[in-house]
Amino acid sequence: MLNIAVLISGSGTNLQAIIDNTENGIIDGSVRLVISNKANAYGLERAKKHKIKNYFINSELVEDFDGEIMKKLEEEEIDLVVLAGYLKVLSPEFIRKYENRIINIHPSLIPSFCGKGYYGERVHKAVIDSGVKISGATVHFVDEGTDTGPIISQASVDVLDNYDYIKLQAEVLKLEHKLLVESLKCYCQGKIKIEGGKVKIEK
Ligand code: GRF
C-alpha cells in the first residue's frame, strides 16, 4: 500500500477520482496528504470531507516553498506524489529527490499543446483554434522540463465540429479521471517500468 500525496491548485476533480479509487481498493494506495498553493482550492474541501491531512501553503509567505512541501512529504513517508491540476513548477531539487515518483496529468496529447503557458482552459482553446480533430489526456512522470517526462499513458477524444473549448474541456476531464486512476493502479501494482526513458507497463 503506497502512501500518496496529491498537489492541487483548483477544483480537485482528479483528486476526487484518486480518493474514491483508493478508498474502494482499485488503487493499492492511500492518499495521506493534499497540499494546495491556493487557499480557495475546492480540492482542500474534498480532502477535509475524507479526513485527509491537507495544507494550504502560501508561496508569498513561505520562502523555501518546495522545501516546506518536502518536509511534509517526509513527515507522512510519502512514496508517490501526484500533480492534479497543480500550477506551480517544481524545483530541480524536489524532482531529483522524487525522481520517477512524481506523476502529472495533462489535458492534451503530449507533445502537442503542452509546455510553458499551456494549462487549464488555455490548452483547450488552443486545440479548438488549431482545428485538430483529436485531442485527449496524458499521464506522465515529471522531469525538470515542462510536461516533458516519460509518458505513462494517453487516451484520445474526437474534437467534434460543434465543440467549443468548454465542451472539449469537459470531455477531456472525464477521460483524465479514468486515465489517471488506471495509471496509478498500475503504478501501485509495481507494473510501471522505465527503460531508456520510455515507460513499459507490464500486463
Ligand atoms: C485538469 O484539466 C488537469 O489536466 C489540469 O488541470 C485540471 C485540474 O482539474 N492539469 P481538477 O482540479 O483535477 O478538477
Side-chain angles (χ1 to χ4, degrees):
M1 168 87 65
L2 294 186
N3 291 337
I4 300 171
V6 184
L7 305 188
I8 60 166
S9 300
S11 57
T13 64
N14 278 288
L15 165 66
Q16 190 66 55
I18 299 168
I19 291 172
D20 294 345
N21 286 279
T22 45
E23 288 180 348
N24 68 13
I26 295 278
I27 298 172
D28 187 17
S30 166
V31 180
R32 316 291 295 190
L33 188 57
V34 171
I35 296 178
S36 173
N37 64 312
K38 296 283 180 200
N40 62 350
Y42 185 67
L44 291 170
E45 293 310 310
R46 297 179 192 272
K48 290 186 180 93
K49 280 199 190 111
H50 288 265
K51 301 190 177 14
I52 296 168
K53 199 172 278 189
N54 61 94
Y55 297 95
F56 157 57
I57 303 181
N58 186 338
S59 56
E60 263 97 64
L61 300 182
V62 173
E63 193 162 312
D64 180 9
F65 185 74
D66 276 11
E68 188 64 25
I69 293 181
M70 284 193 279
K71 215 185 308 172
K72 296 196 180 327
L73 296 177
E74 278 158 37
E75 283 163 11
E76 297 302 324
E77 297 178 331
I78 297 300
D79 303 300
L80 173 66
V81 179
V82 182
L83 309 183
Y86 184 65
L87 297 181
K88 272 183 80 61
V89 177
L90 300 181
S91 66
E93 185 204 354
F94 190 131
I95 292 166
R96 271 195 301 277
K97 184 174 166 66
Y98 286 89
E99 189 179 12
N100 296 329
R101 294 193 292 152
I102 308 171
I103 287 177
N104 184 48
I105 173 93
H106 181 77
S108 77
L109 294 174
I110 289 175
S112 299
F113 307 105
C114 66
K116 277 199 186 340
Y118 284 102
Y119 57 87
E121 65 185 31
R122 289 169 174 229
V123 173
H124 306 294
K125 282 180 178 169
V127 167
I128 296 293
D129 291 349
S130 74
V132 294
K133 299 307 177 190
I134 292 177
S135 190
T138 303
V139 177
H140 64 97
F141 285 111
V142 173
D143 65 9
E144 299 194 20
T146 306
D147 301 328
T148 53
I151 291 174
I152 296 169
S153 60
Q154 295 188 297
S156 64
V157 63
D158 290 334
V159 184
L160 302 183
D161 294 347
N162 63 345
Y163 278 14
D164 61 8
Y165 77 88
I166 308 262
K167 174 67 175 164
L168 178 61
Q169 182 166 30
E171 292 304 312
V172 170
L173 198 54
K174 280 187 275 187
L175 216 49
E176 291 178 44
H177 298 157
K178 278 189 273 187
L179 198 64
L180 185 55
V181 168
E182 185 55 33
S183 302
L184 295 181
K185 175 182 168 212
C186 293
Y187 184 92
C188 290
Q189 289 172 326
K191 290 186 174 176
I192 292 184
K193 306 283 178 232
I194 301 181
E195 291 162 13
K198 288 192 178 51
V199 171
K200 291 199 178 356
I201 301 181
E202 288 162 17
K203 289 291 168 240

